[in-house]
Amino acid sequence: MRTLGVNSRLQPFGATIFAQMTALAVKHDAVNLGQGAPDFDGPEFLKEAAIKAIRDGRGQYARMTGLPELTSAIAQRFMHTSGVSVDPEREIVVTCGATEAILDCMLALLEPGDEVLLFEPFYDSYLASVAMAGGVAKVVTLEAPEFRIDENTMRAAITPKTRVMLVNSPHNPSGRILDDAERAAIVRVANEFDLIVISDEVYEELWYETPHRTLMTEPGMRERTIVLGSVGKSFSFTGWKVGWAIASAPLAAAVRSAHQFASFCAPTPLQIAAATALAAPAKYFEDFRAEYRARRDRMINGVRACGFTCASPEGSYFVLADHSAFGFADDVAFCRHLVEHGGIASIPPSAFYVNKAKAKHLVRFAFCKKDATLDAALTRLSIYRERVLNGEFASLTPATSVEKAGHAPSL
Ligand code: PMP
Ligand code: GLN
């Protein structure tokens, strides 16, 4: 009989860290700052638009490339935020979340053995998508605590087989936004080596001081960049799974070739609601940012007061903190202990690394949560901190080796 398990491309990945941590949060009745999912609803007008679409009988497949209402709304919002004019008919593909768009890009663009430049830490689906498409990931480490792209290191990773570079700003998990020097380096390298750049901009509306700018506006990038967006992030409905890719017509056509067989289309009523969402007045986006800025400040003040060191995120809804003061062997040991004994779920960032030892001292907290949730987590965190300082757990410190784990650390 044949082996009934997963193939060799996916075998190293195991269960995603988000599923593992959410299961542990439930098991230990923990406050969940792990998976990046708001514990509040997105706007009421969006829910109403989706309900209305369902009541109006919009329950059949949507146009494969995306409902015309939605592709137009995406093009208009993109014009508004970036000044770039895109053709909603030929240059946009609506997908089931940005996660599908990432996989579609890899499936559509890579020949077996083609190389993709990834910058670790990265959202965990990047590596799996490259592997599923038969590509080879070349991983460049963004060194903590700055998490900046270094041009020389990037250049050293490029070979004649490099076809794609995948960048993410605002960045999950560091919260950084690419600065001018990094953008210029990406542009130089992409143009010099004729690379396609997948620019994961799903946190485009979540910037705090410096506005997000798409990479597509940089010289030579209009034709070679695929910009990814998601309703899940910008409108606090991660479960709706409506995302998109914006790219020049030939690249969009390539992404579409994979999308038509990967899912064919995203759910019709949610696409209709998403079109309404993107046409929201400026005030929606201003309030959205102001609320998140307040959550960010609450979170960083709280975790710093508990003995963590962390930079203030410039964008996204994650804080990447240094847990060294707690005395654990690595991030998996710390996160496991914290959920079991402190009642707080977080993410061990080694899930976002190939070189897992680089993340030993780090922990990721998501702050897309109600104030009451953040306050409850911070209260628990300070109690936990006291117990650690009092030596209560001295004999419990587990010595997990993250290097031994597969791509997703096993918790
Ligand atoms: N990219 C990044 C950087 C993310 O953090 C996420 C998180 N979910 C995604 C893509 C996927 O977005 P979606 O939920 O729309 O699939
Ligand atoms: N991107 C989200 C995060 O980083 C989770 C996405 C998922 O659960 N697959 O938390």
Side-chain angles (χ1 to χ4, degrees), residues 96-99 102 123 126 168 172 200 202-203 230 233 238 241:
C96 291
T99 307
I102 294 161
Y123 173 49
Y126 293 179
N168 170 219
N172 175 9
D200 181 342
V202 296
Y203 299 102
S230 170
K233 313 297 174 187
T238 57
K241 298 299 286 188

Side-chain angles (χ1 to χ4, degrees), residues 40 170-171 173-177 202-213 233 236 285-300 311-319 365-369 374:
F40 47 86
H171 187 233
S174 75
R176 279 211 61 238
I177 289 182
V202 296
Y203 299 102
E204 64 197 317
E205 306 291 355
L206 281 162
W207 49 264
Y208 302 117
E209 281 84 28
T210 312
H212 163 74
R213 285 178 295 149
K233 313 297 174 187
S236 309
F285 296 99
E286 286 155 16
D287 290 350
F288 180 70
R289 262 188 282 285
E291 285 161 18
Y292 267 102
R293 206 175 280 122
R295 289 184 190 110
R296 175 199 63 173
D297 294 345
R298 199 180 202 95
M299 192 64 196
I300 54 175
S312 178
E314 299 163 289
S316 85
Y317 43 51
F318 304 108
V319 170
F365 297 111
F367 59 83
C368 44
K369 309 289 170 182
L374 295 179

Side-chain angles (χ1 to χ4, degrees), residues 18 35-37 95-102 122-126 166-173 200-203 228-233 237-244 316-318 352 364:
F18 304 112
Q35 191 174 30
T95 55
C96 291
T99 307
E100 189 213 315
I102 294 161
F122 45 68
Y123 173 49
D124 67 344
S125 89
Y126 293 179
L166 202 175
V167 291
N168 170 219
S169 176
H171 187 233
N172 175 9
D200 181 342
E201 302 181 9
V202 296
Y203 299 102
L228 307 184
S230 170
V231 161
K233 313 297 174 187
F237 279 125
T238 57
W240 282 24
K241 298 299 286 188
V242 176
W244 55 83
S316 85
Y317 43 51
F318 304 108
F352 299 163
R364 192 195 81 173

Side-chain angles (χ1 to χ4, degrees), residues 77-114:
R77 177 85 198 145
F78 197 58
M79 167 57 103
H80 177 78
T81 55
S82 69
V84 180
S85 166
V86 294
D87 178 350
E89 300 296 305
R90 297 162 63 237
E91 298 189 305
I92 293 175
V93 190
V94 174
T95 55
C96 291
T99 307
E100 189 213 315
I102 294 161
L103 181 59
D104 291 346
C105 288
M106 299 305 171
L107 291 171
L109 299 173
L110 301 180
E111 297 294 346
D114 276 355

